Amino acid sequence: MLSEKDFIVSSYSSIDYAAFECSAPSNIALVKYWGKKENQIPANPSISFTLNNCKTITKVNFTKKKSKNDFLFDLLFEGKPKEDFKPKILKFFQRIETYCPYLKEYHIVIDTQNTFPHSSGIASSASGMAALAMNVMSLEKEINSNLTDDLFYKKASFLARLGSGSACRSIKGEVVAWGKNESIAESSDLFGVEFNNINENFNNYQDTILLVDKGEKQVSSTVGHELMFGHPYAEKRFEQAHDNLAKITKILLEGNIEEFIKIVESEALTLHAMMMTSMPYFILMKPNTLEIINKIWKFRNETNIPVCFTLDAGANVHILYPENVSVKVLQFIKDELVAFCQNGHYICDQIGNGAESK
Ligand code: DP6
């Protein structure tokens, strides 16, 4: 079992210049991470589908500099300098410094873009931090020939976690679990692990993301996680997440979509119930979120088509369904749900394989 100290690089060489390009997708949790301890350790295990189309593509170049005292980096977003992203990146570099001491030796230029609109309300922190972590690991591979492929990906996930918890689930695909739990022997609080051999019923599982509200969230995930401290239902919720993880791993192996739907929708509503019952309390769903949920339930009852929803920390709705019903579901979305999307916008995605380096 790997521990934190196994991620500290012990010896490495030095190079004058290196440039990389890596991409990482977003992911959608089936069992939700909500609540964390010190150092980005999750309060409960979570499991997600890695997405395919919603990605961050990041180019990074590293140029050797004279002083090793401070981090020096520039940040470009869609080709233009973006000062307001810098504090988050600096915090990330500071958090990973112990594990990547070589970073201070370089002037780092980060050039990043998303395949989805920035103001879509889709969290870019998971794909963004995962893509950046992959670039850091690409440099590490160049200066440490002892790095194995296995450790490369585990450490990429480990670093991504320190940037944003859910980002550790965006390195691999198609299903990734994060957080020590009894159902997955190799699971860890430190990084995400692939959950393999999922049933063919989940092949190419579809996720259509309905953009209900593209505005900034009133409450960030980071604040939301903190509110699980001293939350009256926290312990029960963490226990429930363990139970749901045990159930859903079995379901993913056996292919029972009816049972899948029950866990996934219950998890989404529980996440939002935790928000509504924290102090201070808050609501991230919008009236149109509820309209869409009710329409999905009605459609499912009437047609028996196994379509369900999940939510992340916002108003947007992820619609999950098997590929073989996609024509009917997309028609339903166009006929009945687009009206509830901001400017009629939605994004078609599906389960994918994780981060890539060019
Ligand atoms: C509701 O990973 O964004 O999407 O670790 O503070 O960066 P930080 O939080 P973040 O939280 C994601 C919460 C969630 C559920 C999930 O993805 O599991």
Side-chain angles (χ1 to χ4, degrees):
M1 187 50 61
L2 289 168
S3 74
E4 266 147 343
K5 65 176 186 344
D6 297 311
F7 292 103
I8 301 175
V9 58
S10 50
S11 69
Y12 54 90
S13 60
S14 178
I15 45 175
D16 288 338
Y17 177 82
F20 306 99
E21 178 178 331
C22 300
S23 69
S26 188
N27 69 73
I28 180 68
L30 307 170
V31 172
K32 309 289 180 181
Y33 149 56
W34 199 243
K36 60 176 153 181
K37 308 177 198 166
E38 287 278 287
N39 298 328
Q40 297 282 102
I41 298 298
N44 65 259
S46 57
I47 191 163
S48 51
F49 281 157
T50 303
L51 297 184
N52 193 56
N53 305 335
C54 290
K55 294 194 271 199
T56 299
I57 303 163
T58 304
K59 292 182 192 165
V60 181
N61 60 53
F62 299 89
T63 310
K64 189 91 182 174
K65 62 181 172 68
K66 287 206 181 81
S67 120
K68 295 179 187 174
N69 296 337
D70 289 304
F71 290 111
L72 177 65
F73 67 98
D74 298 324
L75 183 74
L76 303 174
F77 178 67
E78 290 173 349
K80 296 191 200 89
K82 186 90 177 159
E83 290 303 310
D84 39 330
F85 283 2
K86 285 184 88 173
K88 214 174 168 187
I89 308 275
L90 178 61
K91 200 162 166 194
F92 172 63
F93 285 147
Q94 288 163 341
R95 282 184 186 167
I96 68 171
E97 185 181 353
T98 314
Y99 310 100
C100 308
Y102 47 82
L103 285 176
K104 276 189 172 169
E105 297 178 14
Y106 297 92
H107 176 197
I108 304 169
V109 179
I110 305 162
D111 184 353
T112 188
Q113 65 192 81
N114 297 329
T115 59
F116 49 90
H118 173 57
S119 57
S120 59
I122 296 189
S124 57
S125 64
S127 55
M129 287 300 172
L132 188 54
M134 284 288 291
N135 276 291
V136 170
M137 288 313 294
S138 302
L139 173 67
E140 183 164 320
K141 196 176 172 183
E142 196 100 346
I143 59 176
N144 174 20
S145 51
N146 295 327
L147 184 70
T148 61
D149 247 20
D150 184 51
L151 195 61
F152 176 98
Y153 286 106
K154 284 193 174 127
K155 185 165 172 181
S157 175
F158 174 89
L159 297 179
R161 180 195 107 243
L162 293 170
S164 176
S166 56
C168 78
R169 300 188 313 240
S170 275
I171 301 292
K172 288 285 186 171
E174 297 179 303
V175 179
V176 176
W178 168 43
K180 190 76 202 126
N181 67 83
E182 280 179 10
S183 322
I184 305 172
E186 64 280 16
S187 61
S188 168
D189 283 342
L190 302 179
F191 51 87
V193 297
E194 269 167 280
F195 182 71
N196 293 318
N197 303 322
I198 60 166
N199 190 280
E200 61 183 8
N201 290 350
F202 295 102
N203 281 357
N204 294 329
Y205 222 70
Q206 304 288 303
D207 180 4
T208 301
I209 309 163
L210 304 185
L211 306 179
V212 171
D213 186 41
K214 304 184 197 172
E216 275 286 302
K217 283 183 272 185
Q218 303 107 313
V219 182
S220 72
S221 292
T222 307
V223 171
H225 286 292
E226 275 166 19
L227 295 175
M228 287 305 280
F229 259 114
H231 189 294
Y233 307 131
E235 286 319 308
K236 264 282 163 225
R237 160 59 196 155
F238 300 148
E239 229 176 82
Q240 180 200 39
H242 278 271
D243 290 347
N244 281 345
L245 194 115
K247 286 183 187 145
I248 208 153
T249 45
K250 192 162 175 280
I251 290 166
L252 288 167
L253 294 174
E254 291 172 356
N256 188 336
I257 294 183
E258 247 172 68
E259 292 301 311
F260 173 83
I261 290 174
K262 286 186 200 159
I263 306 276
V264 167
E265 292 191 344
S266 162
E267 274 289 320
L269 295 179
T270 301
L271 168 70
H272 284 256
M274 289 301 112
M275 299 172 188
M276 289 189 249
T277 49
S278 54
M279 192 57 81
Y281 40 82
F282 59 106
I283 302 181
L284 296 182
M285 288 189 280
K286 297 283 181 195
N288 282 350
T289 312
L290 295 179
E291 294 281 1
I292 291 167
I293 292 173
N294 280 307
K295 289 272 182 193
I296 291 172
W297 284 343
K298 187 163 177 276
F299 177 78
R300 193 167 73 218
N301 275 335
E302 286 171 1
T303 62
N304 272 325
I305 292 175
V307 51
C308 71
F309 72 86
T310 187
L311 307 166
D312 55 18
N316 296 336
V317 183
H318 289 247
I319 306 195
L320 303 178
Y321 51 97
E323 193 183 26
N324 62 9
V325 295
S326 59
V327 172
K328 284 189 177 134
V329 174
L330 281 169
Q331 196 57 50
F332 158 64
I333 290 172
K334 282 181 199 145
D335 293 345
E336 299 199 41
L337 304 184
V338 162
F340 301 112
C341 300
Q342 214 177 337
N343 306 323
H345 285 169
Y346 62 94
I347 296 175
C348 292
D349 211 334
Q350 60 176 40
I351 200 164
N353 289 316
E356 286 172 357
S357 42
K358 251 195 168 177

